[in-house]
């Protein structure tokens, strides 16, 4: 289960992307997480996914 707090979620997801997954799609598939919902939650705290950097910035 993913953290519900958006700032903790940001840290968790960026760490997973850095250490374990090469793309956001791969992370979402492995964690059985909805990509659209994840992106929406993090956009709510002004972060967007950068495929080039493979992180939310």
């Amino acid at each position: 289960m993913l953290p519900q707090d958006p700032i903790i979620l940001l840290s968790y997801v960026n760490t997973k992307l850095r250490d374990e997954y090469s793309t956001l799609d791969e992370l979402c598939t492995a964690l059985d997480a909805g990509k659209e919902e994840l992106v929406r939650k993090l956009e709510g705290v002004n972060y967007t996914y950068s495929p080039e950097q493979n992180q939310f910035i």
Side-chain angles (χ1 to χ4, degrees):
M1 181 168 220
L2 294 175
Q4 295 302 306
D5 180 272
I7 300 302
I8 295 172
L9 178 63
L10 171 68
S11 177
Y12 178 82
V13 168
N14 275 345
T15 299
K16 290 287 191 183
L17 288 169
R18 182 191 67 217
D19 296 343
E20 299 178 36
Y21 302 105
S22 59
T23 67
L24 181 58
D25 288 328
E26 187 181 318
L27 176 139
C28 288
T29 298
L31 300 180
D32 195 30
K35 181 180 175 180
E36 294 80 18
E37 181 181 351
L38 178 62
V39 168
R40 186 175 56 251
K41 278 186 179 182
L42 294 178
E43 284 178 344
V45 289
N46 299 315
Y47 285 87
T48 58
Y49 179 67
S50 168
E52 297 81 20
Q53 297 179 355
N54 192 36
Q55 68 179 10
F56 282 86
I57 55 172

